[in-house]
Amino acid sequence: MPQTLAVPQSAIRASDAPTTRSRDSDHGLEDGKLKDTQEMSEPRPGTWDMDDQYGPVVASYTRAEFIQDGALFEIPPKLASDAGFEVPLLITAAAQGEFVAGTDGGEDERLRTVLSAVARAVARAPANEVCFVVPAEDLPTTQASTGVDRLLAITEPGDTGELVMTLMLPHEM
């Protein structure tokens, strides 16, 4: 049975989010001088109001919408589990085209190779890492390969806050 890889939940705790400033501060300025960061307000425990940092959300695009539009593909849970992953895995259309796609019937084997390479990168990384780099020499090539030099595996919250891992090309980050 393969070793099970679990990405640390601490990577997405609300307490790890950047500190926020109160709205009545002018981005940390007081009398034209930058306030000491120690004086800026701390986020409420367990929360992080993005409006305080960035303003109101003007548009959003969920992971489910990316999947529906064909920009992301879900990796079958059985393949992810066989590679030792406990979290849902997704791969971008560009990364799938670069390292998995083909017309020769070898897509499943190339996907298994990609997942094995990602599992090795996760195993080598520090305990609290959230971004894993997989060198191209560890990955299969496809007929449509463009010479990308690496694959990134990013752990982040999904649409409902669950931990997911997305495999993507560097320019997609």
Side-chain angles (χ1 to χ4, degrees):
M1 176 161 207
Q3 176 184 358
T4 300
L5 303 171
V7 181
Q9 286 287 341
S10 63
I12 59 168
R13 285 191 318 233
S15 63
D16 291 338
T19 58
T20 59
R21 297 182 181 113
S22 64
R23 282 198 178 257
D24 54 349
S25 75
D26 185 19
H27 299 289
L29 293 175
E30 186 172 288
D31 300 320
K33 296 180 183 176
L34 187 63
K35 286 192 218 174
D36 184 345
T37 56
Q38 302 270 334
E39 295 175 14
M40 293 182 195
S41 65
E42 293 294 319
R44 294 174 303 277
T47 66
W48 181 46
D49 186 358
M50 287 184 49
D51 284 355
D52 286 349
Q53 188 75 17
Y54 302 105
V57 174
V58 293
S60 68
Y61 197 60
T62 66
R63 190 174 302 275
E65 291 170 320
F66 275 103
I67 293 167
Q68 182 178 2
D69 291 345
L72 275 179
F73 297 102
E74 292 180 279
I75 294 175
K78 172 80 169 109
L79 287 177
S81 178
D82 288 350
F85 291 96
E86 294 179 344
V87 299
L89 297 179
L90 299 118
I91 188 167
T92 64
Q96 194 265 354
E98 185 72 28
F99 299 114
V100 179
T103 57
D104 60 358
E107 294 86 358
D108 282 350
E109 189 55 39
R110 283 191 292 275
L111 182 55
R112 283 184 179 86
T113 302
V114 166
L115 295 178
S116 292
V118 171
R120 286 191 304 274
V122 170
R124 288 190 303 259
N128 288 325
E129 190 65 56
V130 296
C131 178
F132 308 94
V133 178
V134 183
E137 57 266 12
D138 293 350
L139 299 165
T141 57
T142 64
Q143 299 153 341
S145 183
T146 62
V148 172
D149 65 345
R150 66 191 176 277
L151 176 72
L152 301 179
I154 311 291
T155 56
E156 57 196 343
D159 290 346
T160 59
E162 76 283 13
L163 185 63
V164 299
M165 179 178 278
T166 304
L167 311 180
M168 65 184 69
L169 300 180
H171 73 271
E172 296 178 297
M173 186 167 175

